[in-house]
Amino acid sequence: MNPLQGLKLRQVLESTPPGQASTHAGHGWAIPGPDRTLIDLQKGRIAPKVTESLRMSFLECNKPGTDGYAAAIEGFHLMKLVAHRPGGDTSFYEALNGPAIPGPVVWMYLPLNPGETIREISAIRLFSHFVALLVRMAAPRASLVADLCPSLISCFHSFIRTRSERSSSGTTT
Amino acid sequence: MAACFHQGCYAFKPSPLSPNFIPATHHDFTPSASDEVRRRRRIQRTLSRKLGLGVLSGMPEELRYMVAEHLIRECAIISCQELTSQSYVFSSEIDLSRDVYATYVRFEGIQYVQSLQNGPRPHGDDTAGELLFDTKQGHDLRNIYVAYDHLGVRCVRMETSDNPSPPSVPATRGMWWRSLSKGHRIRSLTVKSDVSLVLHILVCCATLT
């Protein structure tokens, strides 16, 4: 039993027998729960074992009172998708301003009509690269979340669909 | 790996930095800008309140708050230096067939787990620690959830057979939860401290260069 020094703990891991690879720390989630399945938007399939520890935040889909969604885009990266509610917390705007973000952040606002909900979210891939999210509301309305010109987007050739439910789904922060 | 300081902060340091200072303040990842704003406000509020107990007791609160704004960095350095000047030693392996206790430390107003142990702290210490897992209850351990931020582990929660669901806690900004179980029974834990993790990073950097 090796003694440690320090002010506080940094990691708690499952012990592994000598000679075995150390346990991966696992991904971080906003609330406690078992690990969920990660979808690799670039590859369009369930992500294989990821050695990097991602930190996942929630998109509260279709929660009553939601009047829109906002997407933060930096360069060609979709950084965050958040729900808007009247009087709700808007500190996420501040969270994406600072030295940790290399470039300017563009916010896209996706307003909802009263009672309208998201029915489907699709990932659009162009030449095998993830380029945008397509957020479908009640037909015939849909919003494209990306920093690309419409003519380029019209060339897209691959959808990855995730049927929405009245539950939360994850996006990386 | 080099530790970088603001010139003004380094010039102010009241004494040689304690060996635990840099490991305790190391960021595992970059916190959001709003986390840093909240940290400044937390230190400013605390310092303002403490100034009211001392030399500025006759000064109105709003003025003390303004004075505190100019002393945030100095307050952060001194309180961290005081906290890290003592040496804390604890075990790195936790046997889950025995009771598990947690002790805590407050760092810049936030509670972090200081140690996990298989027994209460000896008498005479400040606290015996919180009993996280009581083997006398006879419940099976199903899963372990670990909450952390960029400075360390904030809390650990056990999921047992008498309460087989994740702990119900609201999301807290800047804090994330890890689940340790991958569908099998966990028998023991390995913990890493500020010092052991920063040393590990240093060794990795040295190997790469």
Side-chain angles (χ1 to χ4, degrees):
Chain A
M1 192 176 286
N2 300 321
L4 285 177
Q5 281 197 330
L7 178 65
K8 49 193 161 55
L9 296 190
R10 286 283 174 158
Q11 274 191 359
V12 178
L13 301 166
E14 182 184 3
S15 300
T16 50
Q20 279 193 15
S22 60
T23 310
H24 174 236
H27 306 303
W29 301 89
I31 58 171
D35 263 349
R36 282 81 164 181
T37 303
L38 292 185
I39 299 173
D40 183 342
L41 293 177
Q42 291 289 353
K43 302 259 171 51
R45 56 180 163 79
I46 291 174
K49 189 177 179 183
V50 185
T51 53
E52 185 187 3
S53 295
L54 302 174
R55 296 184 302 282
M56 312 295 291
S57 61
F58 280 109
L59 166 65
E60 291 185 298
C61 266
N62 297 336
K63 188 172 180 180
T66 303
D67 61 7
Y69 295 88
I73 300 166
E74 188 263 321
F76 292 113
H77 301 288
L78 175 61
M79 301 182 70
K80 213 170 186 61
L81 195 55
V82 293
H84 268 267
R85 267 179 292 283
D89 182 14
T90 56
S91 63
F92 50 79
Y93 285 121
E94 290 175 32
L96 292 182
N97 289 325
I101 311 296
V105 176
V106 176
W107 283 94
M108 286 182 65
Y109 185 54
L110 288 62
L112 292 177
N113 294 319
E116 194 176 30
T117 55
I118 291 179
R119 300 182 66 180
E120 189 177 270
I121 298 178
S122 306
I124 299 176
R125 295 167 66 210
L126 178 64
F127 306 123
S128 75
H129 289 288
F130 167 73
V131 292
L133 281 183
L134 186 69
V135 182
R136 290 181 192 273
M137 284 72 166
R141 227 163 66 84
S143 297
L144 202 59
V145 182
D147 191 14
L148 291 172
C149 64
S151 59
L152 187 57
I153 277 297
S154 65
C155 304
F156 65 79
H157 61 97
S158 174
F159 275 113
I160 308 160
R161 287 180 166 181
T162 304
R163 181 69 66 180
S164 76
E165 298 171 359
R166 294 183 73 87
S167 62
S168 303
S169 59
T171 57
T172 58
T173 59
Chain B
M1 189 175 71
C4 300
F5 299 93
H6 293 117
Q7 190 179 9
C9 293
Y10 192 77
F12 174 75
K13 68 181 174 54
S15 56
L17 294 178
S18 61
N20 284 341
F21 186 97
I22 291 175
T25 55
H26 176 79
H27 289 188
D28 292 331
F29 51 87
T30 306
S32 71
S34 53
D35 285 340
E36 285 297 310
V37 170
R38 280 196 296 277
R39 178 193 176 204
R40 286 181 63 85
R41 287 178 185 155
R42 195 169 52 241
I43 294 172
Q44 189 175 353
R45 272 199 311 273
T46 306
L47 180 58
S48 172
R49 193 174 61 247
K50 288 187 175 177
L51 286 173
L53 301 174
V55 290
L56 301 184
S57 57
M59 187 179 278
E61 187 178 351
E62 61 271 25
L63 293 182
R64 288 202 312 268
Y65 194 71
M66 292 168 70
V67 171
E69 189 177 8
H70 295 280
L71 298 170
I72 290 173
R73 285 189 304 168
E74 289 79 0
C75 177
I77 293 169
I78 291 174
S79 57
C80 182
Q81 177 77 348
E82 282 180 1
L83 205 54
T84 57
S85 61
Q86 302 169 50
S87 183
Y88 305 90
V89 180
F90 38 87
S91 60
S92 61
E93 294 288 328
I94 312 301
D95 181 358
L96 295 176
S97 65
R98 300 164 57 196
D99 293 347
V100 179
Y101 287 78
T103 60
Y104 299 93
V105 60
R106 291 196 82 81
F107 184 79
E108 292 188 344
I110 293 180
Q111 180 174 279
Y112 290 91
V113 179
Q114 184 168 58
S115 71
L116 293 181
Q117 299 172 111
N118 277 129
R121 274 186 170 174
H123 292 296
D125 226 326
D126 293 343
T127 171
E130 179 192 7
L131 180 57
L132 287 184
F133 183 55
D134 187 357
T135 52
K136 289 192 289 294
Q137 300 286 334
H139 304 305
D140 287 336
L141 184 62
R142 297 284 181 88
N143 205 344
I144 299 173
Y145 298 96
V146 180
Y148 67 98
D149 67 13
H150 57 287
L151 286 171
V153 175
R154 290 220 204 160
C155 67
V156 176
R157 291 287 175 265
M158 308 285 189
E159 181 185 313
T160 53
S161 52
D162 70 317
N163 188 16
S165 56
S168 177
V169 293
T172 303
R173 280 195 227 98
M175 187 173 92
W176 284 267
W177 290 85
R178 280 190 183 117
S179 162
L180 295 195
S181 173
K182 304 288 184 270
H184 60 276
R185 187 177 172 187
I186 303 174
R187 297 180 186 280
S188 62
L189 297 176
T190 300
V191 300
K192 295 181 179 177
S193 69
D194 292 325
V195 173
S196 59
L197 204 68
V198 171
L199 280 179
H200 176 70
I201 292 168
L202 283 169
V203 169
C204 290
C205 291
T207 308
L208 289 171
T209 52

